[in-house]
Amino acid sequence: MTSRNIVKALAVAGSLAASAALVPAQAQDTIKVGVLHSLSGTMAISETTLKDTVLMMVDDINKHGGLLGKKVEAVVVDPASNWPLFAEKARELLQKDKVAVVFGCWTSVSRKSVLPVFEELNGLLFYPVQYEGEESSNNVFYTGAAPNQQAIPAVEYLMSKEGGDVKRWVLEGTDYVYPRTTNKILEAFLKSKGVAASDIMINYTPFGFSDWQTEVAAIKKFASAGKKTAVVSTINGDANVPFYKELANQGIKASDIPVVAFSVGEEELSGIDTKNLVGHLAAWNYFESVKNPTNTAFIKQWHAFIKNDKRVTNDPMEATYIGFKMWTQAVEQAGTTDVNAVRQAMYGQKVKTPSGFTAVMNTNHHLSKPVMIGEIQPNGQFEVVWQTKNTIKADAWSPYLPEDKGKVADWTFPWVCGNCTEPKYKSLVN
């Protein structure tokens, strides 16, 4: 038997075994989808809305006849901003509830917690939030931004004359994997552009941090060197509320020290008095303020479902919408909820998005998406001040980290690999 035939046989055998394990879920009267978002704890400020978004999508598909002739049922759990509990709840969803797919996680530490569970049980996770990259799992579809779709373009914008010609950089983040890895990439990128180490300040604070007086004072002192300074914020969760309040308390204006945030959107601003924050920035792939028919319909659908016209939309909601739409399209195409069949059907799926662009799923399990820079307005919305003309394909591995050189993420046969430099089938037969 040739090496290629051996690989094909292995792939078929694995697919049959995994399919057999999922037969009970297929035989149910309903198709169950798991919702794995924190509804309590420090991340509830951001994640509760994503739970509601999945419920909205489930409600909508059921109103249109369900999926494969079956009703879709959401199984909601609360991992409560407790990272080990995420793994426990994920296992429960896959083994006990027999869900066909899971939509969930916000922080990278929660995603890292559940990843071994999904890979062990061959589950399927749709992860809807911007993250640090440096990962490509066969069991995860990443519908949020990779660094080259958010962090790098945001810094490039601030470096430009249009963005203020920034020379000094404060990388301010919450102390966990996403900010640390993102800032590692950003630091390497800045140095590749000739920025001196002395012009880069990096600081981390714990989840839920609230006493920002000393940290903000340090930012002011760093910015007093006479060079234009900006803050790149990877602060997550409810710590953003006191952070922005302290900026205002210490008189920091966007015209003096602009802050560009990667985890602050319309939902987070809804709990802050924004009058002193006008002009600060956020980088996302979508803002509620963009004008197009798809976004108008999306906002109308959200308000009708949530029964509150004052509730905002945001980027992770759009990423959840994209993931749900693509998954249902893939299920219809495959004619089954079998993970292996759906995974293959996912490649090349397209969705017209509220951002006004068409998102495409690539074989590295990441999307092609636009990049937008938004400026905070007095009403808590963002005015888009810059955006890419076309969608940008996500990079799973950063070209700015030496250890990533040559790494490939491509899950189509014969590669089936997320972090190798040659086709994985070669190692299977050698």
Side-chain angles (χ1 to χ4, degrees), residues 290-310:
V290 299
K291 306 296 184 185
N292 63 73
T294 305
N295 192 36
T296 298
F298 178 57
I299 296 169
K300 182 178 180 181
Q301 180 185 0
W302 172 240
H303 287 165
F305 176 79
I306 209 70
K307 296 180 173 57
N308 184 350
D309 288 348
K310 294 183 179 180

Side-chain angles (χ1 to χ4, degrees), residues 5-35:
N5 286 335
I6 290 172
V7 175
K8 287 184 176 180
L10 289 170
V12 170
S15 179
L16 289 174
S19 297
L22 291 174
V23 167
Q26 294 276 37
Q28 295 172 352
D29 293 333
T30 61
I31 294 175
K32 294 182 178 180
V33 302
V35 185

Side-chain angles (χ1 to χ4, degrees), residues 155-211:
V155 169
E156 287 180 321
Y157 170 76
L158 289 171
M159 282 181 158
S160 69
K161 290 183 179 180
E162 181 184 6
D165 198 22
V166 172
K167 302 297 184 184
R168 299 200 96 196
W169 304 87
V170 178
L171 308 183
E172 186 76 39
T174 302
D175 193 4
Y176 75 107
V177 62
Y178 161 62
R180 284 190 174 274
T181 306
T182 298
N183 287 340
K184 180 181 178 181
I185 293 169
L186 286 178
E187 184 179 16
F189 170 75
L190 288 169
K191 288 180 178 179
S192 76
K193 296 296 183 180
V195 178
S198 59
D199 286 329
I200 303 171
M201 169 182 163
I202 304 174
N203 185 58
Y204 298 100
T205 52
F207 276 103
F209 191 74
S210 60
D211 187 8

Side-chain angles (χ1 to χ4, degrees), residues 81-396:
S81 306
N82 180 326
W83 318 133
L85 189 57
F86 267 87
E88 182 181 324
K89 292 295 184 180
R91 186 173 294 275
E92 179 182 303
L93 286 170
L94 293 173
Q95 290 188 315
K96 177 186 174 183
D97 298 303
K98 306 293 184 183
V99 300
V101 66
V102 175
F103 297 89
C105 299
W106 181 293
T107 67
S108 287
V109 68
S110 66
R111 189 192 69 257
K112 294 287 189 184
S113 175
V114 305
L115 187 57
V117 177
F118 280 90
E119 293 182 337
E120 173 195 342
L121 301 176
N122 195 34
L124 202 57
L125 172 68
F126 279 77
Y127 178 64
V129 185
Q130 86 293 343
Y131 85 121
E132 69 281 0
E134 304 305 293
E135 180 179 301
S136 182
S137 171
N138 203 23
N139 295 88
V140 182
F141 284 98
Y142 307 81
T143 59
N148 72 306
Q149 296 172 312
Q150 186 189 40
I152 297 296
V155 169
E156 287 180 321
Y157 170 76
L158 289 171
M159 282 181 158
S160 69
K161 290 183 179 180
E162 181 184 6
D165 198 22
V166 172
K167 302 297 184 184
R168 299 200 96 196
W169 304 87
V170 178
L171 308 183
E172 186 76 39
T174 302
D175 193 4
Y176 75 107
V177 62
Y178 161 62
R180 284 190 174 274
T181 306
T182 298
N183 287 340
K184 180 181 178 181
I185 293 169
L186 286 178
E187 184 179 16
F189 170 75
L190 288 169
K191 288 180 178 179
S192 76
K193 296 296 183 180
V195 178
S198 59
D199 286 329
I200 303 171
M201 169 182 163
I202 304 174
N203 185 58
Y204 298 100
T205 52
F207 276 103
F209 191 74
S210 60
D211 187 8
W212 283 98
Q213 186 173 354
T214 300
E215 279 68 22
V216 171
I219 291 171
K220 287 185 70 174
K221 182 178 180 181
F222 183 77
S224 66
K227 297 180 181 179
K228 183 66 175 182
T229 303
V231 176
V232 180
S233 171
T234 47
I235 300 166
N236 249 281
D238 54 11
N240 277 294
V241 176
F243 171 66
Y244 278 93
K245 285 183 177 178
E246 187 58 33
L247 290 177
N249 288 343
Q250 297 199 28
I252 294 180
K253 299 178 180 179
S255 56
D256 301 322
I257 310 173
V259 176
V260 60
F262 302 155
S263 297
V264 173
E266 294 85 347
E267 184 74 8
E268 288 76 19
L269 289 183
S270 65
I272 304 174
D273 181 359
T274 59
K275 68 177 182 294
N276 294 315
L277 302 181
V278 173
H280 287 301
L281 307 167
W284 293 102
N285 311 117
Y286 161 85
F287 289 104
E288 183 180 31
S289 59
V290 299
K291 306 296 184 185
N292 63 73
T294 305
N295 192 36
T296 298
F298 178 57
I299 296 169
K300 182 178 180 181
Q301 180 185 0
W302 172 240
H303 287 165
F305 176 79
I306 209 70
K307 296 180 173 57
N308 184 350
D309 288 348
K310 294 183 179 180
R311 287 289 298 276
V312 296
T313 59
N314 63 26
D315 180 281
M317 286 178 64
E318 191 212 30
T320 299
Y321 169 96
I322 294 170
F324 194 94
K325 287 273 190 180
M326 285 189 172
W327 176 75
T328 57
Q329 289 174 184
V331 168
E332 292 283 6
Q333 181 178 316
T336 176
T337 57
D338 173 76
V339 168
N340 297 293
V342 171
R343 177 165 42 230
Q344 290 303 311
M346 278 293 297
Y347 305 135
Q349 288 294 340
K350 298 179 180 180
V351 168
K352 184 70 175 177
T353 70
S355 70
F357 292 73
T358 297
V360 181
M361 180 56 70
N362 301 299
T363 58
N364 65 0
H365 284 216
H366 292 69
L367 291 174
S368 292
K369 305 178 76 177
V371 184
M372 301 178 181
I373 308 293
E375 186 178 279
I376 297 174
Q377 302 299 297
N379 62 356
Q381 288 289 321
F382 292 85
E383 178 185 346
V384 177
V385 295
W386 179 88
Q387 71 176 44
T388 55
K389 293 181 180 179
N390 301 301
T391 58
I392 304 298
K393 182 179 178 180
D395 290 333

